[in-house]
């Protein structure tokens, strides 16, 4: 049974082969017959032969006189080039011959002449006066041709040439013809030509000339008896109005426009609506409020009530009308506009034709001639029904096209209440063209919504799941812009979770349906647009959801564009992945699936991927992961793989940078030498030789030399490295955050610390200002006291400087304090904290100053370790009540700094808070305080001179703090 089946299948294959051979034989016979009939005879070849010694002008004259039609057409097509190169001879000999030939030429020659005449005018190779004398006269003569196609072609030439001619020629030669053709005794075709010429002429004249010469003809043509002439002139009213200006337009153009908008013919009303839209930018607010807005509302209401054929055009222009009149519309008029637009979006969906209008009555008996006549009488109703359906579909199609404009008109805040229902209706429209139009503008709507873009996320998912792949293709074409708008909207909306993750199943569904279809262009476009998701989704979502799909497209047997799109997307996924382990795994998987594949097709694909890798990644990343893998393919057993590898060698050399990549450069040179010596394939040998020549021209970048002079590619590579480095840093921070989570109690403690620090800073500023105010008040009081007692200013007698014993006691107290405050930075405290010396009054009484008491006898609160205890002590120490008490004690117990400085003239007293400064006491003896351990002061006793000590940074800092309240030292935060 199996053998019989195999034998029958072989017979069927033999029959198919015989049929194919017969078809090929017939095809060859047809080809031979075609070639035989296409050959020219010897006589025809002789007639087409031209003497090679003739120059261009003579050859053109010969071909125009006695050549075939094909040769004449070639001469006319090259007329502009001939005049450009030989202007004098060409204008004197060739152009008159061309004008002579055009009278009796065929239509193809006429069309070639129209193109040549326009090109000559655009080149401006001859003066305008000469062009008007020769070519313009020919154009004006051929406008009146009896053939409507030829006449229309030359009319289009005239309309294009007008902008290159001066005003005098236009007024003398063209305007007179337009006026003559616009008379009522002329044909309809002539009056239509007059309307078009007037529209072009109005752009070249000033307002006075238009009002004087053109406006009467415009008014007459607007009131023409033929509706085609009225419609044509109505379309040109916008151009004429711009040439006239605002005031003449209000007095002359607007009345005609209002009358034309109420015309009985639909095409005239459509032209009036288009003219109104084009005039909105010219009219002022008063004209729009009083004339245009009532006219538009009346026009639209009548069309909707009568279900006019102009409704598709109204839907097309409605977006421009609302946008142009948005400034002048009141709130009621805006609501009317939005209601009217909603009616257009659902026009025809909820209306069902009656059975009498929809279908003819079915026959009740056997068909006869009379019944067949009845069916033919009902057929116009069926045709009208089909036209009605097309009109309704076109209304919704244009409404979907104008949706972005209406969103801008209504505003993003009112979208949900005013337009969301219409938007959802258009997304679910039964007509495919309507959904395609909406999908093409979806990205514009998402941009306009801003933070409210989450409203249309459901419709976005529905369009991605649409049954029609054409709708999906329209949405995917702008997928990056749409996704970016969604991400920005979610960021502005402060959403806690990324709602965009709900779109992932719809995206994967669209890709799977495109892969199952034969539309490989759509599939490659979807894979290419998937690269934008790297900036929209997390690395885990990309790695677990999209990477397997893209790798499946790479490894499966798909068209080459699908492979390349998938490879580009994988490169982007690797670049923007924030986890180093996943990046390494993706690189290894790419090498394993392509580089190490058994099929040479995938190994060649890997070389194509390397081109994208060089574009996306930095040079250092590529050299680290892929450079050596590419060099290994230079020894591939398949010649095509080696051939492709040879073309990449010059690009590999540009990726190197010395001295870092010296070893890679040596490997590259070794591979090139080996191929030059051992390669046997002819194509690969030629390719490696060309690659070697190209590599010699490539200059390897040297890091020490190129650091001073950067090129554009160096800046781009530096930018790529910074992006990769930032991704690594973000990954490290995320790992640290995951490894060391901050508890809620710690967060609250840190916030309390920040608040305490802020309060402490405010207290310090308050204390400093209070201290300075108190010292100033003390100085003024002492001065007033001295003046009142002696009648002149005298310096107060100080109580005297502290003795050596007091200095030693102060230093001992500071030493005893140091172990207790070991948690503070010693170097910082020594550099910034002055040595506090108790006053004489306090020392003689056996009492310590408040500052010394607080520093040498810490309380229980100050013994607490950490910054919290120190801040608590500071807050208690510098409370307002404690600050007031200390200031009062200081005023009563210690002399002011002013009194110390104003000692007797014979005594030299330096800053008492600096232990390195020498001071002369009342007895004339020289006495210095104890120095710090860093330096000694040598004194010269002879001559009573004062030794100059070597000042250190510490002493300068301490001397600068004279007569100031000591600042609070903060503990460094752990």
């Amino acid at each position: 049974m199996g053998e019989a089946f195999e034998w029958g299948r072989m017979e069927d294959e033999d029959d198919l082969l015989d049929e194919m051979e017969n078809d090929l034989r017939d095809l060859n016979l047809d080809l031979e017959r075609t070639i035989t009939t296409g050959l020219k005879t010897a006589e025809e070849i002789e007639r087409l032969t031209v003497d090679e010694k003739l120059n261009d002008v003579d050859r053109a004259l010969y071909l125009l006189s006695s050549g075939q039609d094909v040769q004449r057409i070639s001469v006319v097509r090259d007329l502009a080039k001939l005049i450009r190169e030989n202007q004098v001879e060409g204008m004197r000999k060739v152009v008159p011959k061309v004008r002579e030939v055009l009278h009796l030429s065929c239509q193809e020659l006429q069309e070639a002449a129209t193109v040549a005449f326009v090109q000559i005018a655009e080149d401006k190779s001859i003066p305008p006066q000469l062009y008007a004398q020769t070519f313009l006269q020919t154009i004006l003569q051929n406008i009146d041709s009896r053939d409507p196609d030829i006449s229309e072609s030359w009319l289009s030439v005239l309309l294009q040439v007008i902008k290159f001619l001066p005003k005098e020629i236009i007024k003398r030669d063209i305007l007179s013809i337009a006026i003559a053709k616009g008379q009522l005794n002329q044909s309809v075709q002539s009056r239509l030509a007059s309307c078009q010429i007037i529209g072009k002429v109005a752009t070249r004249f000033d307002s006075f000339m238009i009002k004087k010469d053109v406006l009467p003809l415009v008014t007459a043509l607007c009131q023409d008896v033929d509706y085609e002439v009225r419609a044509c002139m109505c379309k040109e009213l916008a151009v004429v109005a711009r040439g006239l200006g605002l005031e003449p337009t209000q007095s002359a153009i607007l009345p005609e426009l209002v009358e034309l908008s109420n015309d009985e013919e639909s095409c005239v009303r459509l032209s009036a609506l288009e003219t109104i839209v084009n005039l909105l930018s010219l009219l002022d607010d008063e004209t729009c409020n009083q004339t245009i807005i009532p006219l538009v509302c009346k026009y639209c209401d009548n069309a909707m009530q009568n279900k006019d054929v102009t409704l598709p055009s109204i839907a097309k222009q409605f977006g421009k009308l609302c946008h142009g009149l948005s400034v002048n519309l009141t709130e009621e008029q805006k609501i009317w506009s939005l209601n009217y637009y909603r009616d257009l979006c659902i026009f025809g969906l909820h209306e069902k034709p009656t059975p009498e209008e929809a279908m003819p009555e079915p026959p009740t008996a056997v068909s006869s001639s009379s019944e067949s006549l009845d069916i033919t009488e009902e057929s116009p109703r069926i045709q009208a029904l089909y036209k009605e359906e097309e009109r309704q579909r076109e209304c919704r199609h244009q409404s979907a096209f104008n949706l972005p404009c209406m969103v801008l008109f209504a505003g993003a805040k009112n979208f949900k209440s005013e337009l969301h229902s219409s938007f959802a209706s258009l997304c679910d429209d039964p007509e495919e063209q309507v959904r395609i139009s909406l999908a093409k503008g979806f990205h514009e709507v998402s941009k306009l919504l801003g933070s409210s873009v989450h409203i249309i996320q459901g419709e976005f998912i529905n369009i991605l799941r649409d049954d029609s792949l054409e709708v999906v293709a329209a949405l995917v074409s702008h997928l990056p812009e749409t996704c970016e708008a969604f991400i920005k909207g979610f960021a502005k909306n402060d959403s806690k979770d990324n709602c965009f993750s709900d779109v992932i199943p719809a995206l994967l569904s669209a890709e799977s349906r495109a892969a199952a279809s034969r539309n490989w262009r759509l599939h490659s476009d979807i894979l290419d647009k998937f690269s934008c998701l790297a900036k929209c989704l997390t690395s885990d979502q990309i790695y677990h959801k999209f990477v397997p799909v893209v790798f499946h497209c790479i490894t499966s047997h798909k068209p080459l564009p699908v492979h390349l799109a998938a490879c580009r997307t994988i490169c982007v996924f690797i670049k923007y992945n924030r986890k180093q382990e996943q990046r390494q795994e993706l690189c290894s998987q790419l090498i394993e699936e392509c580089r190490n594949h058994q099929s040479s097709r995938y190994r060649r694909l890997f070389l194509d991927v390397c081109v994208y890798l060089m574009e996306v990644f930095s040079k250092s990343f590529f050299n680290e992961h892929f450079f050596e893998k590419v060099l290994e393919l230079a020894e591939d057993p398949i010649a095509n793989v080696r051939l492709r590898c040879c073309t990449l060698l010059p690009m590999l050399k540009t990726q190197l940078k010395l001295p870092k990549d010296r070893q890679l450069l040596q490997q590259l040179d070794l591979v090139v030498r080996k191929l030059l010596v051992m390669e046997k394939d002819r194509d690969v040998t030629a390719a490696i030789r060309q690659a070697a020549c190209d590599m010699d021209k490539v200059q390897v970048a040297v890091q020490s030399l190129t650091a001073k002079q950067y090129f554009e590619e160096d800046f781009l590579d530096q930018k790529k490295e910074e992006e990769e480095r930032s991704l690594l840093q973000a990954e490290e921070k995320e790992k640290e955050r995951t490894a060391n989570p901050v508890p809620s109690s710690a967060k609250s403690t840190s916030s309390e610390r920040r608040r305490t620090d802020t309060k402490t800073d405010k207290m310090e500023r308050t204390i400093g200002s209070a201290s300075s105010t108190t010292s100033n008040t003390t100085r003024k009081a002492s001065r007033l006291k001295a003046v009142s007692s002696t009648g002149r200013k005298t310096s107060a007698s100080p109580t005297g400087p502290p003795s050596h014993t007091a200095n030693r006691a102060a230093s001992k107290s500071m030493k005893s304090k140091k172990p207790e405050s070991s948690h503070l930075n010693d170097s910082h405290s020594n550099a910034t904290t002055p040595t506090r010396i108790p006053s004489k009054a306090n020392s003689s009484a056996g009492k310590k100053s408040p500052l010394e008491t607080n520093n040498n006898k810490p309380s229980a609160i100050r013994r607490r370790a950490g910054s919290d205890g120190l801040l608590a002590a500071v807050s208690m120490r510098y409370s307002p009540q404690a600050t007031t008490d200390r200031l009062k004690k200081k005023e009563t117990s210690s002399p002011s700094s002013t009194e110390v400085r104003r000692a007797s003239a014979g005594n030299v007293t330096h800053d008492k808070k600096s232990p390195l400064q020498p001071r002369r006491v009342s007895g004339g003896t020289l006495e210095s305080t104890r120095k710090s351990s860093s330096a000694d002061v040598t004194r010269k006793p002879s001559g009573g001179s004062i030794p100059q000590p070597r000042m250190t940074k510490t002493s300068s800092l301490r001397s600068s703090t004279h007569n100031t309240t000591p600042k609070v030292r903060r503990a460094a935060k752990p």
Side-chain angles (χ1 to χ4, degrees):
M1 184 70 180
E3 294 178 357
F5 177 76
E6 291 292 337
W7 180 258
R9 190 175 64 178
M10 291 174 65
E11 289 183 350
D12 294 339
E13 291 179 356
D14 294 338
D15 295 338
L16 290 174
L17 291 175
D18 293 338
E19 291 179 2
M20 292 176 63
E21 289 178 359
N22 295 331
D23 293 339
L24 289 174
R25 190 180 301 108
D26 296 339
L27 181 61
N28 291 332
L29 290 175
D30 294 339
L31 290 175
E32 291 177 0
R33 190 180 302 108
T34 303
I35 295 171
T36 305
T37 55
L39 294 177
K40 300 293 183 182
T41 62
E43 295 178 358
E44 292 176 344
I45 293 174
E46 185 178 357
R47 279 183 303 191
L48 294 173
T49 303
V50 182
D51 189 4
E52 296 180 357
K53 296 180 180 180
L54 297 176
N55 56 20
D56 295 339
V57 177
D58 296 337
R59 184 184 298 107
L61 289 174
Y62 174 77
L63 294 177
L64 288 172
S65 302
S66 60
Q68 301 292 323
D69 290 341
V70 179
Q71 294 172 325
R72 291 176 182 176
I73 292 172
S74 65
V75 172
V76 174
R77 286 175 178 173
D78 296 336
L79 184 60
K81 181 180 178 182
L82 181 65
I83 293 175
R84 197 184 306 117
E85 296 176 353
N86 302 286
Q87 180 179 350
V88 179
E89 294 294 329
M91 293 298 299
R92 187 170 62 87
K93 296 181 180 180
V94 180
V95 174
K97 194 66 177 178
V98 171
R99 296 176 63 185
E100 181 182 349
V101 171
L102 284 177
H103 290 290
L104 301 174
S105 60
C106 60
Q107 184 176 356
E108 190 175 358
L109 182 60
Q110 295 274 353
E111 293 177 356
T114 57
V115 176
F117 282 20
V118 174
Q119 189 175 0
I120 292 171
E122 292 176 351
D123 293 342
K124 298 180 180 180
S125 55
I126 59 176
Q129 299 292 339
L130 184 59
Y131 188 90
Q133 294 174 5
T134 55
F135 298 102
L136 183 59
Q137 300 302 322
T138 305
I139 295 171
L140 296 175
Q141 291 174 5
N142 292 324
I143 287 176
D144 298 328
S145 178
R146 295 181 179 180
D147 190 348
D149 296 334
I150 295 176
S151 177
E152 186 177 356
S153 299
W154 285 105
L155 179 61
S156 64
V157 172
L158 178 62
L159 298 178
Q160 296 179 53
V161 165
I162 285 175
K163 60 183 178 182
F164 300 107
L165 298 176
K167 296 180 181 179
E168 296 79 10
I169 297 176
I170 295 174
K171 183 177 181 180
R172 182 189 64 200
D173 298 335
I174 300 177
L175 182 60
S176 58
I177 295 177
I179 295 173
K181 285 181 173 293
Q183 303 302 320
L184 286 175
N185 56 0
Q186 296 291 326
S187 62
V188 176
Q189 184 179 359
S190 298
R191 299 203 298 273
L192 291 174
S194 177
C195 296
Q196 298 181 34
I197 294 172
I198 287 174
K200 286 293 181 180
V201 166
T203 59
R204 301 300 309 277
F205 291 162
D206 55 1
S207 177
F208 177 76
M209 189 177 295
I210 294 174
K211 189 174 182 180
K212 179 182 177 182
D213 299 330
V214 179
L215 190 58
L217 182 61
V218 170
T219 305
L221 292 173
C222 286
Q223 299 175 0
D224 197 274
V225 294
D226 191 85
Y227 71 93
E228 294 181 359
V229 178
R230 297 197 302 271
C232 185
M233 192 64 246
C234 186
K235 292 180 180 178
E236 305 296 337
L237 285 180
V239 182
V240 177
R242 293 186 183 280
L244 281 173
L246 180 60
E247 294 182 0
T249 299
Q250 293 175 348
S251 60
I253 302 298
L254 283 182
E256 299 293 337
L257 188 59
V258 172
E259 186 176 354
L260 291 171
S261 63
N262 296 321
D263 197 276
E264 62 274 7
E265 295 293 336
S266 59
C267 63
V268 181
R269 296 197 300 271
L270 288 178
S271 301
L273 181 63
E274 294 177 2
T275 304
I276 290 172
V277 173
N278 295 329
L279 279 178
L280 289 179
S281 59
L282 177 65
L283 302 176
D284 57 351
D285 295 339
E286 184 179 358
T287 305
C288 291
N289 293 330
Q290 297 180 0
T291 306
I292 301 299
I293 294 177
L295 179 63
V296 170
C297 293
K298 181 181 178 181
Y299 184 90
C300 295
D301 286 336
N302 292 336
M304 183 63 74
Q305 291 176 3
N306 301 327
K307 296 181 180 179
D308 198 357
V309 294
T310 60
L311 275 177
S313 296
I314 293 176
K316 182 179 180 180
Q317 304 291 339
F318 198 76
K320 294 180 181 179
L321 283 171
C322 293
H323 182 68
L325 296 173
S326 59
V327 182
N328 308 105
L329 293 176
T330 61
E331 291 297 328
E332 295 180 357
Q333 292 169 347
K334 288 183 178 179
I335 294 173
W336 174 88
S337 301
L338 293 173
N339 292 333
Y340 194 88
Y341 177 76
R342 286 195 289 266
D343 294 339
L344 290 175
C345 292
I346 60 175
F347 181 69
L349 291 180
H350 305 294
E351 297 178 0
K352 295 183 179 180
T354 59
E356 297 179 356
E357 297 178 354
M359 296 295 294
E361 295 180 0
T364 57
V366 181
S367 62
S368 60
S369 60
S370 62
E371 291 175 353
S372 63
L373 289 174
D374 293 340
I375 294 175
T376 55
E377 289 177 358
E378 292 290 333
S379 60
R381 291 188 181 181
I382 300 175
Q383 295 176 0
L385 177 63
Y386 291 153
K387 292 181 180 178
E388 181 69 21
E389 290 179 356
E390 292 177 359
R391 187 163 64 249
Q392 293 172 357
R393 181 177 65 248
E394 186 65 20
C395 282
R396 300 196 302 273
H397 173 71
Q398 297 297 338
S399 300
F401 174 78
N402 283 320
L403 182 62
C405 189
M406 296 305 298
V407 172
L408 184 63
F409 173 74
K413 296 180 180 179
N414 301 325
F415 174 79
K416 187 174 182 179
S417 59
E418 300 292 343
L419 294 175
H420 185 255
S421 59
S422 301
F423 181 78
S425 174
L426 293 173
C427 289
D428 298 334
D429 196 272
E431 296 294 335
E432 181 181 0
Q433 292 298 325
V434 178
R435 302 198 303 274
I436 290 175
S437 179
L438 180 69
K440 289 181 178 179
F442 197 96
H443 65 288
E444 297 291 345
V445 177
S446 59
K447 290 179 182 178
L448 292 172
L449 289 180
S451 59
S452 304
V453 72
H454 62 278
I455 299 174
I456 62 173
Q457 185 176 354
E459 286 74 18
F460 180 59
I461 296 174
N462 292 337
I463 295 177
L464 285 173
R465 296 181 181 274
D466 196 276
D467 297 334
S468 175
L469 289 178
E470 297 295 331
V471 179
V472 178
L475 183 65
V476 169
S477 61
H478 298 283
L479 185 62
E481 295 92 331
T482 307
C483 294
E484 184 180 359
F486 271 97
I487 295 303
K488 289 182 179 179
F490 291 147
K492 292 179 182 178
N493 200 22
D494 296 334
S495 57
K496 296 182 179 180
D497 52 347
N498 189 0
C499 300
F500 194 75
S501 58
D502 299 337
V503 187
I504 295 177
L507 291 170
L508 295 176
S509 175
E511 189 276 334
S512 63
R513 287 188 293 116
S517 67
R518 295 182 178 180
N519 192 350
W520 59 265
R521 291 182 176 85
L522 175 60
H523 192 199
S524 62
D525 193 19
I526 291 176
L527 292 174
D528 193 21
K529 296 300 189 295
F530 274 0
S531 60
C532 71
L533 300 176
K535 298 181 180 179
C536 303
L537 301 175
T538 62
S539 300
D540 291 333
Q541 290 173 337
I542 293 291
Y543 184 77
H544 295 292
K545 299 292 185 180
F546 291 93
V547 167
V549 175
V550 177
F551 264 114
H552 176 72
C553 295
I554 294 176
T555 56
S556 60
H557 295 283
K558 298 288 183 181
L560 183 60
V562 176
H563 283 295
L564 296 178
C567 292
R568 284 194 297 267
T569 303
I570 280 294
C571 294
V572 177
F573 285 170
I574 296 173
K575 178 178 177 63
Y576 291 101
N577 194 297
R578 295 189 176 183
K579 296 187 177 181
Q580 189 173 3
E581 297 178 358
Q582 294 180 0
R583 283 197 301 272
Q584 295 290 343
E585 188 173 350
L586 288 175
C587 293
S588 303
Q589 188 175 359
L590 183 63
I591 294 172
E592 183 66 26
E593 298 290 346
C594 296
R595 161 65 183 82
N596 300 334
H597 203 278
Q598 296 180 356
S599 176
S600 62
R601 176 186 182 186
Y602 292 98
R603 296 200 295 273
R604 287 189 61 193
L605 180 63
F606 176 76
L607 296 175
D608 295 333
V609 174
C610 289
V611 178
Y612 302 133
L613 292 170
M614 295 180 198
E615 295 176 358
V616 173
F617 293 97
S618 63
K619 297 179 180 179
S620 59
F621 185 89
F622 179 81
N623 295 340
E624 180 181 356
H625 295 86
F626 301 101
F627 192 92
E628 295 180 352
K629 302 297 180 182
V630 177
L631 291 181
E632 292 175 359
L633 290 177
E635 300 178 356
D636 196 90
I638 304 300
N640 287 334
V641 179
R642 299 197 304 273
L643 181 64
R644 182 70 179 109
C645 183
C646 291
T647 59
L648 292 181
L649 294 180
M651 299 178 64
L652 292 178
K653 190 174 181 180
T654 60
Q655 300 295 312
L656 302 178
K657 184 181 292 185
L658 296 178
K660 179 182 178 181
D661 301 326
R662 185 181 300 276
Q663 185 177 0
L664 296 178
L665 180 60
Q666 293 176 357
Q667 296 179 11
L668 180 61
D669 294 338
L670 181 61
V671 168
V672 173
R673 291 171 185 163
K674 187 181 295 185
L675 287 174
L676 287 173
V677 174
M678 302 179 61
E679 183 58 48
K680 298 180 181 180
D681 188 85
R682 180 179 59 186
D683 297 332
V684 180
T685 302
I688 190 59
R689 289 177 181 174
Q690 183 63 34
C693 296
D694 295 339
M695 290 174 64
D696 292 338
K697 299 176 184 178
V698 176
Q699 184 178 1
V700 181
V702 181
Q703 190 171 3
S704 59
L705 297 179
T706 57
K708 298 180 181 179
Q709 183 179 3
Y710 287 100
F711 297 97
E712 184 178 1
E713 59 181 6
D714 297 327
F715 285 111
L716 293 176
D717 185 68
Q718 186 177 2
K719 185 178 180 180
K720 294 175 185 177
E721 289 183 357
E722 291 176 357
E723 292 178 355
E724 295 167 2
R725 197 178 302 112
S726 63
L727 290 174
L728 291 175
Q729 293 175 358
E731 180 187 1
E732 293 177 358
K733 290 180 180 179
E734 187 175 356
K735 287 182 179 179
E736 291 178 358
R737 194 182 303 112
T738 306
N740 301 320
V742 180
S744 58
S745 59
K747 292 182 181 178
S748 60
T749 305
S750 62
S751 61
E752 291 176 0
R753 290 177 182 176
R754 284 194 295 270
R755 288 195 296 269
T756 307
D757 293 344
T758 306
K759 292 180 181 179
T760 307
D761 293 339
K762 291 181 180 179
M763 286 183 181
E764 290 178 5
R765 290 194 294 268
T766 306
I767 293 168
S769 61
S771 176
S772 61
T773 305
T774 306
S775 61
N776 293 334
T777 306
T778 306
R779 292 196 199 101
K780 290 181 181 179
S782 61
R783 291 174 188 171
L784 291 174
K785 184 177 180 180
V787 170
S788 62
S789 61
T790 60
R792 58 186 180 87
K793 293 182 180 181
T794 58
S795 59
S797 61
T799 57
S803 62
H804 290 286
T805 307
N807 291 336
R808 293 191 186 96
S811 62
K812 288 180 181 180
S813 65
M814 294 299 294
K815 290 180 181 179
S816 62
K817 177 189 173 183
K818 186 174 181 180
E820 295 179 1
S821 60
S822 59
H823 63 280
L824 299 176
N825 192 350
D826 294 338
S827 60
H828 177 72
S829 62
N830 291 336
T832 57
T833 307
T835 305
R836 298 182 179 86
I837 303 174
S839 61
K840 186 175 181 179
N842 291 336
S843 62
S844 61
K847 297 180 180 180
K848 294 184 180 180
S849 63
L851 294 177
E852 187 179 1
T853 304
N854 290 335
N855 287 335
N856 296 337
K857 190 177 180 181
S859 62
I861 300 177
R862 285 184 61 90
R863 292 193 189 99
R864 292 171 55 188
S867 59
D868 293 339
L870 179 61
L871 290 173
V874 168
S875 62
M876 293 182 62
R877 178 180 175 185
Y878 289 103
S879 61
Q881 184 63 31
T883 304
T884 306
D885 296 341
R886 283 197 302 273
L887 292 176
K888 288 181 179 180
K889 289 182 181 180
K890 189 173 182 180
E891 290 178 3
T892 57
S893 62
S894 61
S896 64
S897 59
T898 307
E899 295 173 352
V900 174
R901 285 198 304 268
R902 294 178 180 177
S904 59
N907 297 335
V908 180
T909 306
H910 294 275
D911 187 2
K912 69 176 182 177
K913 291 187 179 183
S914 177
L916 298 180
Q917 295 289 341
R919 61 180 74 252
R920 187 177 297 276
V921 295
S922 59
T925 60
L926 185 66
E927 184 180 74
S928 66
T929 59
R930 182 179 298 275
K931 300 176 296 181
S932 62
S933 60
S934 59
D936 286 334
V937 178
T938 57
R939 294 179 294 175
K940 295 182 180 180
S942 61
S945 61
I946 301 173
Q948 298 296 330
R950 184 174 59 186
M951 301 295 293
T952 61
K953 183 176 180 181
T954 307
S955 62
S956 63
L957 288 172
R958 291 174 180 174
S959 61
S960 63
T961 58
H962 176 67
N963 196 25
T964 57
T965 305
K967 297 183 179 180
V968 180
R969 294 176 294 170
R970 291 187 188 177
K973 294 183 179 181

